[in-house]
Structures are given as C-alpha cells and as structure tokens.
Amino acid sequence: MGMPTPTIDPRFSDPAAAPTPWADAEAALARAELYWLTTVRADGRPHVTPLVGVAQAGALHFCTGLREQKARNLQASPLVALTTGVNTWAAGMDVVVEGTAVRVTDRAALQAIADAYLAKYGQDWAFEVEGDGFRSEEGGPAAVFRIEPAKVLAFAKAPHGQTTFRF
C-alpha cells in the first residue's frame, strides 16, 4: 500500500479529532491477529468470514481453500472488504479496507507470504508453496490473494474520528 493522504470526515468525528496518520492505520492492519473478510456471492448476497492474514511487501494477504465459499465468491467478483479492530466503544481503532482481491501466483512472492504467515502465527499456519498457491498441513490447495485497496477507513475512538484514505 502506498502513502495516501488522510481526510477526516467531520460528519462522523469529534471536533477535537485529528486525522489518523496512515502509519497508525497500517500498523493496526499489520499487527491484527484476526480479520473479517466480506466477499459477494454470485447472487449478490454478502458472505462474511473471519480469517488470518499477513501484511507483506506493503500489502495485505490472505489465503483460502479452493473449495471454500470465499474462493467461489472471488471467482464471480474480486471486490472485498476486510475489517479488523477491537470490540470496544471508547478505546482502540477499527480499520476497514475496501478493494480488489488479486490472486498471487509468483513463486518468490508466495514464499515470502508463507514465511510471513509462519513468522506471525507460528507452526499452526505453516504453508508449503506448491504450484500457483499453498498446500496446507491438511493437504488441500489454497489460493493466495493480495488486496489492492481503493479506500481505507480508520475509526479512532479517543476522540472519535473517521479518517478516509484513498488510493
């Protein structure tokens, strides 16, 4: 992800709030342990699921088994929203990334992403690069995706402030 310019939305922000710096939003995305991914089913209904992911080479990445609902959804539409944050009202920050999921198939990039999963989550999320994706310990093939952001929203809570980043 590049260095977008932050814009605070006064309609949804405390008058004392300043725009969230991009470095803070990017750090929150990188350190999150769990994300919620929203994809769109072929019939237009949303599908939301929790997953793990990694920030690597300036982008967010996730993977999915080829037979999972989110993989089928991404075949019909690559548009996604990825969210993370805390379930509190007055502390922390929530971040929403809206964008396009792009399949990663380059072997060197896949290895770097697999290494990032291992570094972040340990052996529970160890992947082998095989073909144009991952093979998990369970043995199933998994596609790897990078999210190309169109817009990122950061929701600060002390004071409340909504910052928009456009790419």
Side-chain angles (χ1 to χ4, degrees), residues 29-52:
L29 289 166
R31 75 175 165 263
E33 290 182 15
L34 187 68
Y35 306 87
W36 290 87
L37 181 72
T38 303
T39 56
V40 181
R41 297 173 193 265
D43 66 4
R45 292 179 298 132
H47 174 258
V48 182
T49 188
L51 52 66
V52 297

Side-chain angles (χ1 to χ4, degrees), residues 96-156:
V96 177
V97 178
E98 297 176 359
T100 303
V102 177
R103 180 107 185 247
V104 176
T105 58
D106 175 77
R107 191 163 186 79
L110 289 168
Q111 187 59 59
I113 296 164
D115 293 345
Y117 267 100
L118 185 61
K120 184 174 181 179
Y121 296 104
Q123 281 300 125
D124 288 342
W125 293 96
F127 293 105
E128 257 183 67
V129 174
E130 186 175 282
D132 61 358
F134 288 166
R135 178 161 295 283
S136 67
E137 285 188 8
E138 291 78 35
V144 179
F145 293 89
R146 172 185 70 250
I147 298 177
E148 302 266 333
K151 177 171 74 170
V152 173
L153 298 166
F155 298 91

